[in-house]
Amino acid sequence: MSKTVLPDHMTDLLSPVAVKDPYMYFGKYREISPVVWNPQWKGWIFTSNATVREGLAGDTMTSDRITRFEDQLTSRAGGDQNADIIYRTMVQWIVYATPPRHTHLRLLLSKPFSPRAVKNQKAVVETIIAELLDELEQKIKNKPGPVDLLREYAAQVPARVISRLMGIPDQDAAKLGHWSEELTLLILGAMGAEDRHSRAKEAFIELENYVRKMVAARRKNPGTDLVSDWVAARDSNVGLTEEELISSCILVIFGGHETTMNLIANSLLAVHQHPAARQALIEGSVDSAMAVEEFLRFCGPTRSILRDVAKDHEVAGQTLRAGERALFVLAAANQDPGAFEDPGTLKLDRSPNRHIAFGTGIHQCLGAPLARLEAQVAIPEFVRRFPGYRVLTEDPEWQPLLMTRGLKALPTEVL
Ligand code: HEM
């Protein structure tokens, strides 16, 4: 039996240096061992491209990391009935499901996210982004001064796109964004936020009420939107339960918001820091699809994902036991020198670029074609509209989140 254990001074996953530069921080883990035990976090940390891929794609790990929290997340813990709502919803999420339930759900939910469906959504996305850029330009004309690009632009893109695809009025898009941000506190591991449970619970209750009303309205009056599609899947008796339908709507609102917002904001910061990339985007001399793949690799929004060990096994000379937990650091896998040439350099025309910013294996992101489309329009169009934009800090603050690589704000002079 073998276990390589990190030294004490390297165990704080949210230390200032780990939050500021996870690539360098987890690179040091990789140098010790690509799979290593963190005694403070009490779990295995995977940091090489090969071990992350293998662990996510194989059958040694399980995604069901929710049922064991049943006691903690339900009224059994402290008699709080409302706590149940979080567990009841999350336990239905495809992202925690295991086969065969996962296979069944994926089939039922995937229609609106197929590459073909997304191709048809291109015009909608282009219109929304043109509208958002017009609104931003007008806002700056009316009130000159710095803006927070994270909230004023990056967050607006997914909120408005998913709202329109779900048939939700634009004026409610901001509410969806707010609820998503509150849920992030709980789900994506904000270790420091003391009030995270109560805030996330409130957001959950409001969001669930909103979604239930929306589903009822679409049932009465179906449209051509994603929710009507899923209501039809539910009502045609193919096996999507009412709870799965409601929970999946919540997952899509939440899952697509933070991630896409952070991809856009992280990329606009990277462009600010790399003048050659800015020039290439302004001139249109780089393919936007290729550029987005490189942004996903270089500064993608998913820092890491969680699994539980499903069965005893050995990997990279370590002995893992069923029931232990594991953190797969996508940020490290995507900048592993064993898999990418010059991994710390932003090369917008990088080829090949086999990053795993959307995960890999059966849970690989369902919304990836939509996220790619949004980023391929939102990033180059912003740079072309405001070619001289300037981020007002050289040392921006990052969210101290275990699973997310995202900024607290992106104060910018938009020119
Ligand atoms: C840049 C944007 C995005 C990134 C980086 C991203 C990343 C990911 C990752 C890493 C996973 C795998 C999680 C795991 O294995 O535990 C995932 C799953 C998922 N994502 Fe995304 N995501 C993005 C946008 C979206 C969007 C826009 C949607 C929907 C509107 C979405 C819906 C989902 C769903 C439903 C799953 C679960 C799939 C399954 O379990 O089979 N994501 N995403």
Side-chain angles (χ1 to χ4, degrees):
M1 180 179 148
S2 159
K3 192 180 222 176
T4 305
V5 179
L6 286 169
D8 278 350
H9 70 278
M10 288 178 72
T11 55
D12 183 358
L13 295 170
L14 291 180
S15 67
V17 57
V19 171
K20 187 179 160 137
D21 190 350
Y23 314 103
M24 192 266 290
Y25 178 81
F26 289 109
K28 293 203 168 135
Y29 278 37
R30 199 196 300 113
E31 281 167 20
I32 294 174
S33 169
V35 178
V36 66
W37 180 260
N38 183 320
Q40 187 188 337
W41 187 69
K42 298 189 181 65
W44 294 100
I45 316 289
F46 285 60
T47 48
S48 75
N49 191 279
T51 57
V52 170
R53 273 181 188 280
E54 198 184 312
L56 290 177
D59 62 355
T60 51
M61 299 283 161
T62 172
S63 286
D64 177 12
R65 50 201 181 276
I66 181 88
T67 44
R68 72 183 160 94
F69 285 113
E70 183 171 359
D71 281 353
Q72 205 180 320
L73 285 174
T74 63
S75 49
R76 283 187 226 168
D80 175 358
Q81 292 299 328
N82 281 333
D84 282 343
I85 196 173
I86 300 182
Y87 180 76
R88 267 197 293 109
T89 306
M90 284 172 63
V91 83
Q92 304 286 343
W93 282 358
I94 182 173
V95 72
Y96 300 130
T98 52
R101 189 171 161 261
H102 175 268
T103 324
H104 175 68
L105 269 178
R106 182 108 183 173
L107 200 72
L108 293 176
L109 297 177
S110 56
K111 194 175 147 215
F113 294 109
S114 69
R116 209 168 120 211
V118 170
K119 213 170 151 204
N120 294 335
Q121 290 153 2
K122 188 161 184 253
V124 178
V125 170
E126 284 171 348
T127 307
I128 290 172
I129 286 164
E131 283 168 13
L132 287 172
L133 289 169
D134 289 347
E135 284 168 27
L136 190 59
E137 197 170 332
Q138 198 52 46
K139 198 169 186 170
I140 295 158
K141 264 193 199 135
N142 294 344
K143 194 173 165 249
V147 291
D148 175 7
L149 269 195
L150 182 76
R151 299 217 153 60
E152 307 270 346
Y153 181 62
Q156 306 298 324
V157 174
R160 216 176 268 190
V161 169
I162 202 66
S163 299
R164 234 169 265 181
L165 296 184
M166 291 180 116
I168 294 170
D170 277 356
Q171 62 270 26
D172 288 354
K175 272 199 275 191
L176 299 188
H178 167 72
W179 290 327
S180 300
E181 283 177 31
E182 294 293 281
L183 297 197
T184 303
L185 287 177
L186 177 77
I187 295 159
L188 298 177
M191 284 170 168
E194 288 305 320
D195 58 348
R196 67 185 170 132
H197 280 270
S198 56
R199 284 174 58 186
K201 206 173 12 173
E202 251 171 61
F204 241 115
I205 294 166
E206 288 173 13
L207 179 53
E208 211 212 16
N209 280 336
Y210 185 92
V211 168
R212 278 192 194 280
K213 279 191 203 141
M214 175 172 76
V215 165
R218 285 313 180 283
R219 189 163 269 139
K220 247 192 183 163
N221 222 340
T224 53
D225 55 281
L226 179 157
V227 183
S228 300
D229 241 49
W230 287 353
V231 169
R234 153 87 184 122
D235 295 351
S236 64
N237 225 358
V238 287
L240 193 66
T241 68
E242 190 70 9
E243 289 314 306
E244 284 167 349
L245 166 64
I246 303 286
S247 305
S248 299
C249 289
I250 293 177
L251 173 62
V252 161
I253 290 171
F254 162 72
H257 180 78
E258 286 296 305
T259 44
T260 312
M261 166 183 94
N262 287 326
L263 173 62
I264 295 170
N266 294 358
S267 305
L268 290 176
L269 172 65
V271 172
H272 163 79
Q273 292 167 335
H274 295 81
R278 183 192 298 246
Q279 203 50 39
L281 288 170
I282 295 170
E283 288 166 1
S285 60
V286 63
D287 177 53
S288 29
M290 263 183 132
V292 165
E293 295 313 299
E294 178 66 346
F295 289 129
L296 282 159
R297 185 197 71 81
F298 182 77
C299 55
T302 307
R303 188 182 190 244
S304 50
I305 46 192
L306 279 170
R307 291 287 186 271
D308 281 355
V309 178
K311 49 180 161 190
D312 294 358
H313 68 285
E314 296 234 337
V315 53
Q318 310 296 313
T319 310
L320 279 63
R321 298 275 178 222
E324 288 172 338
R325 61 179 178 169
L327 191 72
F328 289 85
V329 187
L330 301 187
N334 285 334
Q335 294 208 16
D336 177 355
F340 297 95
E341 208 183 289
D342 213 357
T345 304
L346 180 76
K347 290 186 196 162
L348 293 190
D349 58 353
R350 183 180 289 273
S351 173
N353 189 351
R354 291 185 63 238
H355 68 76
I356 45 172
F358 289 116
T360 186
I362 59 168
H363 290 280
Q364 188 168 19
C365 181
L366 189 63
L370 178 62
R372 286 189 158 111
L373 169 64
E374 290 180 51
Q376 285 164 14
V377 182
I379 299 163
E381 287 303 316
F382 179 88
V383 177
R384 271 174 228 140
R385 178 79 71 106
F386 304 110
Y389 80 94
R390 210 161 54 86
V391 175
L392 295 174
T393 165
E394 285 313 314
D395 190 17
E397 272 193 78
W398 296 92
Q399 296 273 10
L401 293 168
L402 197 56
M403 265 99 96
T404 294
R405 173 74 170 159
L407 291 157
K408 283 190 177 167
L410 190 56
T412 307
E413 197 177 3
V414 177
L415 304 163

